[in-house]
Amino acid sequence: MLYREYDPDVLKKLQKAEIEILKDFDALCEKYSIVYFVCGGTALGGVRHEGFIPWDDDIDIGMTRDDYERFLEVAETEYGNRYGIVNADTNSDFPVILTKWYRTGTVFKNEEMQKLGLDIGIAIDVFCFDNVADDTKALRKQAISAWTWGKLMVLRQVGAPTIYVAGWKAKLTLLVSGLAHGVLKTLHIPTGLFYKRALKAAMRYRKVHTKRVAYLFDPTPYTSVINKEDIFPTVKRKFEDIQLRFPCHVEKYLERRYGKDYMELPPEDQRHNHAPEELDFGEVFADL
């Protein structure tokens, strides 16, 4: 399910909790000179609404590879008693290539997390943007390789992944996904095999100076390719009642990802969120 109505008070409380997490995240990055930038729906919400998209329930953060690895290193030692990290390196059952930095003592589980037995709290999502080829054909080859291995990684663990199409295309996609999941599970192919190959493709140009970076594991390929000169230097902009780092030319990123009409609200049947099956604010966020 792509969208489910929240109780308005619950959604507002969840968004407030995520702002509190962002405050700690931003402070950690400032302390260690880790450069981040908002991306995805967080960037769109920041530009269009100066905060959350009204129905949105998550936070998307981007980092280039070196900052991403530095963040993982310091976050565990700096806030290890208050926050946890889950990704495919810390838990082989985690089916996607990103990191969730979650507040311990809370619970946020969607249906997929429940089925996989993943214990995750209210979190922000951190995406790694890798160097990608300047040449169009080379980029296509790199991106398709990374995306394919990444999708096989998802299908090894999840039979009915989240998709962003409707009608007969959705039915066909889910049918094929279910069949692929059954085959991969029956063959007992380890998830880590797909993960390693996806990373190898994504990091193909790590030691090469390129003009662009990308997160290569979106549901639709090529939607998160961005010129480095459109990210850096990042700039602080208003997001709710705090200041977050945005790409310096965030509008170019948003136009590529969402189209030229990104400032217009989408119809209700095209609105997405990640409403959980289990949500517990714990003592830490009880009074928000």
Side-chain angles (χ1 to χ4, degrees), residues 3 48 55 261 264-272:
Y3 179 74
R48 194 168 66 194
W55 55 88
D261 60 350
E264 298 179 13
L265 291 179
E268 290 188 8
D269 63 352
Q270 295 180 24
R271 298 177 182 182
H272 307 145

Side-chain angles (χ1 to χ4, degrees), residues 1-7 10-11 14-15 18 39-44 52-61 94-96 98 100 107-114 120-127 160-164 215 217-219 257-258 268 270-281:
M1 181 179 292
L2 295 180
Y3 179 74
R4 189 169 68 217
E5 289 281 356
Y6 276 89
D7 177 287
V10 172
L11 179 57
L14 176 60
Q15 292 173 343
E18 290 170 345
C39 60
T42 304
L44 178 59
F52 285 98
I53 296 172
W55 55 88
D56 202 7
D57 54 5
D58 71 346
I59 294 291
D60 301 320
I61 298 292
F94 194 69
V96 289
L98 59 86
K100 285 186 174 289
V107 176
F108 187 106
K109 295 183 184 179
N110 62 22
E111 186 176 357
E112 292 175 358
M113 295 176 190
Q114 285 181 325
I120 301 175
I122 299 171
I124 62 174
D125 294 340
V126 185
F127 300 85
T162 300
I163 57 175
Y164 293 88
Y215 174 72
F217 306 103
D218 282 320
R257 183 172 173 85
Y258 297 105
E268 290 188 8
Q270 295 180 24
R271 298 177 182 182
H272 307 145
N273 65 19
H274 310 81
E277 301 296 326
E278 296 181 51
L279 176 62
D280 187 342
F281 291 97

Side-chain angles (χ1 to χ4, degrees), residues 14 17 39 41 51 63 72 102 142 192 215 231-232 236 241-242 286:
L14 176 60
C39 60
M63 293 179 179
L72 295 179
Y102 66 91
Q142 177 190 11
Y215 174 72
I231 303 175
F232 307 112
K236 286 261 184 168
D241 61 348
I242 62 175

Side-chain angles (χ1 to χ4, degrees), residues 54-93:
W55 55 88
D56 202 7
D57 54 5
D58 71 346
I59 294 291
D60 301 320
I61 298 292
M63 293 179 179
T64 55
R65 176 63 63 177
D66 288 346
D67 284 301
Y68 179 80
E69 293 182 351
R70 178 64 171 154
F71 167 74
L72 295 179
E73 177 186 340
V74 302
E76 190 167 359
T77 57
E78 185 80 9
Y79 282 133
N81 60 331
R82 297 172 61 189
Y83 288 93
I85 287 174
V86 63
N87 54 35
D89 291 312
T90 65
N91 190 321
S92 60
D93 290 328

Side-chain angles (χ1 to χ4, degrees), residues 44-248:
L44 178 59
V47 172
R48 194 168 66 194
H49 306 278
E50 293 191 338
F52 285 98
I53 296 172
W55 55 88
D56 202 7
D57 54 5
D58 71 346
I59 294 291
D60 301 320
I61 298 292
M63 293 179 179
T64 55
R65 176 63 63 177
D66 288 346
D67 284 301
Y68 179 80
E69 293 182 351
R70 178 64 171 154
F71 167 74
L72 295 179
E73 177 186 340
V74 302
E76 190 167 359
T77 57
E78 185 80 9
Y79 282 133
N81 60 331
R82 297 172 61 189
Y83 288 93
I85 287 174
V86 63
N87 54 35
D89 291 312
T90 65
N91 190 321
S92 60
D93 290 328
F94 194 69
V96 289
I97 301 178
L98 59 86
T99 288
K100 285 186 174 289
W101 194 56
Y102 66 91
R103 190 65 166 86
T104 54
T106 68
V107 176
F108 187 106
K109 295 183 184 179
N110 62 22
E111 186 176 357
E112 292 175 358
M113 295 176 190
Q114 285 181 325
K115 289 180 179 180
L116 293 172
L118 296 171
D119 293 322
I120 301 175
I122 299 171
I124 62 174
D125 294 340
V126 185
F127 300 85
C128 184
F129 282 64
D130 283 292
N131 286 348
V132 293
D134 293 329
D135 177 75
T136 301
K137 290 184 179 179
L139 168 61
R140 186 179 297 115
K141 182 177 179 180
Q142 177 190 11
I144 290 298
S145 177
W147 188 87
T148 300
W149 290 116
K151 287 298 167 281
L152 288 172
M153 176 182 166
V154 173
L155 292 174
R156 173 60 178 85
Q157 298 293 83
V158 180
T162 300
I163 57 175
Y164 293 88
V165 293
W168 68 267
K169 290 183 179 180
K171 293 179 181 179
L172 179 60
T173 301
L174 288 173
L175 174 62
V176 173
S177 296
L179 292 172
H181 171 68
V183 170
L184 294 173
K185 193 171 182 180
T186 300
L187 294 175
H188 301 289
I189 300 175
T191 307
L193 173 66
F194 300 127
Y195 176 51
K196 289 178 181 178
R197 294 192 176 184
L199 277 189
K200 182 178 180 180
M203 296 172 63
R204 186 172 298 166
Y205 296 94
R206 180 170 188 176
K207 296 182 179 180
V208 178
H209 177 73
T210 65
K211 296 178 181 179
R212 299 179 289 186
V213 292
Y215 174 72
L216 295 173
F217 306 103
D218 282 320
T220 304
Y222 309 118
T223 52
S224 289
V225 179
I226 182 171
N227 291 330
K228 292 177 182 177
E229 65 180 15
D230 291 332
I231 303 175
F232 307 112
T234 58
V235 294
K236 286 261 184 168
R237 294 177 63 149
K238 184 179 186 296
F239 188 92
E240 299 294 334
D241 61 348
I242 62 175
Q243 296 281 316
L244 295 179
R245 293 201 170 274
F246 282 69
C248 58

